[in-house]
Amino acid sequence: QQPVQSPQAVILREGEDAVINCSSSKALYSVHWYRQKHGEAPVFLMILLKGGEQKGHEKISASFNEKKQQSSLYLTASQLSYSGTYFCGTAAGSARQLTFGSGTQLTVLP
Amino acid sequence: DAGVIQSPRHEVTEMGQEVTLRCKPISGHDYLFWYRQTMMRGLELLIYFNNNVPIDDSGMPEDRFSAKMPNASFSTLKIQPSEPRDSAVYFCASSLTGGRAPNEQFFGPGTRLTVL
């Protein structure tokens, strides 16, 4: 089942902060975040694993609440280059495939 | 190193025609994924392979869709016959076996398919 992302869209000014949420009705083993710019392919940002391990982007942070089956992506001091659509992808157990949410469109204005 | 390569980048065809999309994964990667992206349905996994073997094809919409991976460096997604509702961007992605969870996926540039 597809994870639910919120908000669907957000507009902010350069330098402002944003939080994007991802929640699932299934028990999760890992949560993956990708960013897609218009007309381009999704690009990997971060993986969060059950148990607290993380791998990913230097300037973007995220959290993973295993009990609530939720993850949040924190974009601080947004830059113009952060604009794009952010997708969370979830994996249950040892499955290697991801199920992606519907995306959050982030627009950063000067 | 070259990333994931897909061809063609754009395909316009008429309903009923056969369409073949091609993908070359990153050398050494052992997982290959085919996705379809539309405004209505988002990013959907169609099928994925591990070491050239199809593992899960439950996302393939119907029998008109088929995928093959004859070797580690090449995969095809075929639609026969094509229909207007197949119009979408098709992405191929590859990844390397990681630890205890799926590893990062590297996406190709996609093929934009338009079926008239």
Side-chain angles (χ1 to χ4, degrees):
Chain A
Q1 195 165 358
Q2 189 179 39
V4 177
Q5 287 187 235
S6 63
Q8 288 187 323
V10 59
I11 299 174
L12 52 151
R13 296 279 179 188
E14 202 172 2
E16 293 181 338
D17 302 338
V19 179
I20 300 172
N21 300 301
C22 174
S23 63
S24 174
S25 58
K26 284 185 173 181
L28 300 178
Y29 191 81
S30 62
V31 179
H32 304 235
W33 288 95
Y34 286 77
R35 177 172 62 207
Q36 183 179 30
K37 294 185 179 286
H38 183 69
E40 299 180 6
V43 174
F44 168 78
L45 291 176
M46 179 167 292
I47 295 174
L48 300 105
L49 302 177
K50 187 175 181 179
E53 185 180 343
Q54 292 189 17
K55 180 173 78 169
H57 206 280
E58 292 179 356
K59 295 187 178 179
I60 297 175
S61 62
S63 64
F64 179 20
N65 187 322
E66 299 162 21
K67 288 184 179 178
K68 293 186 177 181
Q69 293 150 205
Q70 293 176 346
S71 177
S72 295
L73 189 70
Y74 305 97
L75 303 160
T76 56
S78 296
Q79 305 172 16
L80 296 176
S81 61
Y82 286 8
S83 291
T85 301
Y86 289 76
F87 293 95
C88 70
T90 56
S94 60
R96 292 290 158 172
Q97 69 268 38
L98 300 178
T99 303
F100 284 97
S102 57
T104 295
Q105 188 171 350
L106 180 82
T107 304
V108 181
L109 301 175
Chain B
D1 286 338
V4 175
I5 298 171
Q6 290 186 247
S7 64
R9 294 292 307 277
H10 301 272
E11 177 82 29
V12 180
T13 191
E14 292 190 347
M15 184 174 64
Q17 296 298 306
E18 178 180 297
V19 175
T20 299
L21 310 182
R22 297 172 177 81
C23 175
K24 176 179 169 57
I26 293 173
S27 176
H29 281 192
D30 55 348
Y31 282 88
L32 184 139
F33 305 84
W34 280 102
Y35 291 93
R36 178 174 67 177
Q37 187 174 38
T38 61
M39 288 294 293
M40 291 297 295
R41 300 178 68 91
L43 193 59
E44 301 175 275
L45 177 66
L46 300 177
I47 185 172
Y48 80 97
F49 295 83
N50 179 218
N51 291 322
N52 314 337
V53 177
I55 303 300
D56 186 346
D57 65 353
S58 59
M60 296 286 260
E62 45 198 275
D63 292 345
R64 298 184 297 106
F65 285 69
S66 63
K68 293 182 180 180
M69 192 165 185
N71 57 63
S73 58
F74 184 65
S75 178
T76 60
L77 179 68
K78 187 176 293 187
I79 308 172
Q80 166 63 18
S82 58
E83 296 183 3
R85 60 191 167 125
D86 301 331
S87 297
V89 179
Y90 291 81
F91 287 104
C92 172
S94 71
S95 72
L96 189 61
T97 297
R100 49 197 179 97
N103 219 341
E104 61 186 282
Q105 295 182 19
F106 294 82
F107 283 75
T111 295
R112 181 172 295 276
L113 174 65
T114 303
V115 183
L116 304 174

